[in-house]
Amino acid sequence: YPLPMIVEEDRPRMSALLAGAALGSSGNDVEFRVQEGAGGPRWVAISWQPMFDLAGAAMGFRTSVRDIADRKQSEQDLRESEERYRRIVETTDEGIWTIDANTSTTFVNPKMARMLGYTIEEMHGRPLRDFMDEEGWAVAQAQLARRAQGIADLHEFRFRRKDGSELWALLTANAIQDSTGTIVGALAMVTDVTERQRAEASLRDSEARFRSLFEH
């Protein structure tokens, strides 16, 4: 491509590559944008090999140019899709937690980490058992056995926060499968219901006191 056809921002890079090519260097799939009239710039990839005469003097280049506009658009669409999902995951009011087949934490979103009083970095790689007491771990093992059978579930669970206090949560849990269908972990959507649990416990206590008064 003549240099004027190349998008202005890409011209310095292309000029440097051409200077190197004049000294005998080759290039493979160098990407840059070319003007395409009213349709805007278009991505192409160029490869070249220098050609020499019998005396070894450079006499030109053998080049090939590929249109990569569709691939670049797909990459852009993928980046935008990933960014949308990243914003959803980071700003949702629910905790998101994934573990691998060994119950080690592979991902938590900021909400999940805050719910338990940790940072994301503190939770990453730690086993699920670290975030519950012995009773909770026994319940968790039963639930993990259901995940291993591919059974999705909705249930309440008690975690232990970093400061030792309780976190009651409503979990929607699903197994994670690889491309062969093998279960390699689990994903949970976690909602904090601690205040509701406290209110229900307070109501039960209150009802028990009034019942005791009436009975005696």
Side-chain angles (χ1 to χ4, degrees):
Y1 281 93
L3 200 59
M5 292 183 62
I6 298 172
V7 171
E8 186 173 356
E9 293 88 340
D10 293 350
R11 290 178 192 173
R13 181 167 58 89
M14 183 52 63
S15 295
L17 292 171
L18 291 174
L23 298 175
S25 68
S26 59
N28 185 51
D29 281 346
V30 177
E31 299 177 359
F32 61 96
R33 293 164 295 173
V34 295
Q35 301 288 355
E36 196 180 48
R42 191 172 189 84
W43 280 98
V44 297
I46 184 170
S47 299
W48 70 88
Q49 292 287 337
M51 299 173 60
F52 303 96
D53 61 20
L54 295 177
M59 56 179 291
F61 306 96
R62 181 183 296 111
T63 64
S64 64
V65 180
R66 293 187 299 111
D67 186 329
I68 59 171
D70 290 343
R71 193 199 79 198
K72 282 290 188 180
Q73 185 61 52
S74 296
E75 291 174 354
Q76 177 66 22
D77 292 344
L78 178 60
R79 285 193 296 270
E80 292 176 354
S81 177
E82 290 175 342
E83 176 61 20
R84 285 195 298 271
Y85 280 109
R86 185 188 64 80
R87 288 197 299 268
I88 291 171
V89 166
E90 290 185 352
T91 61
T92 183
D93 201 38
E94 283 189 300
I96 301 175
W97 195 341
T98 64
I99 58 173
D100 63 17
N102 297 315
T103 77
S104 294
T105 300
T106 55
F107 175 83
V108 290
N109 68 340
K111 176 66 174 183
M112 187 69 250
R114 289 195 301 270
M115 285 164 64
L116 287 172
Y118 291 90
T119 65
I120 291 175
E121 292 74 20
E122 287 175 326
M123 291 188 66
H124 186 76
R126 291 182 62 175
L128 186 63
R129 188 172 185 173
D130 283 2
F131 306 99
M132 57 194 68
D133 58 22
E134 290 301 318
E135 181 182 350
W137 176 237
V139 175
Q141 287 178 298
Q143 291 296 333
L144 289 170
R146 291 171 61 81
R147 298 300 86 71
Q149 298 173 41
I151 302 173
D153 214 345
L154 175 66
H155 61 280
E156 291 189 359
F157 192 82
R158 185 183 64 191
F159 291 100
R160 185 178 59 212
R161 291 190 175 103
K162 186 177 181 179
D163 63 8
S165 61
E166 291 182 344
L167 167 71
W168 278 97
L170 181 66
L171 275 72
T172 304
N174 294 275
I176 299 175
Q177 299 179 338
D178 64 14
S179 58
T180 67
T182 301
I183 295 175
V184 295
L187 162 69
M189 304 295 290
V190 184
T191 303
D192 186 345
V193 294
T194 305
E195 291 304 319
R196 194 198 75 193
Q197 281 282 348
R198 289 173 179 167
E200 291 175 352
S202 177
L203 179 60
R204 286 193 298 270
D205 290 343
S206 177
E207 290 174 342
R209 287 196 300 271
F210 278 109
R211 184 169 58 250
S212 177
L213 287 172
F214 280 113
E215 289 176 352
H216 296 85

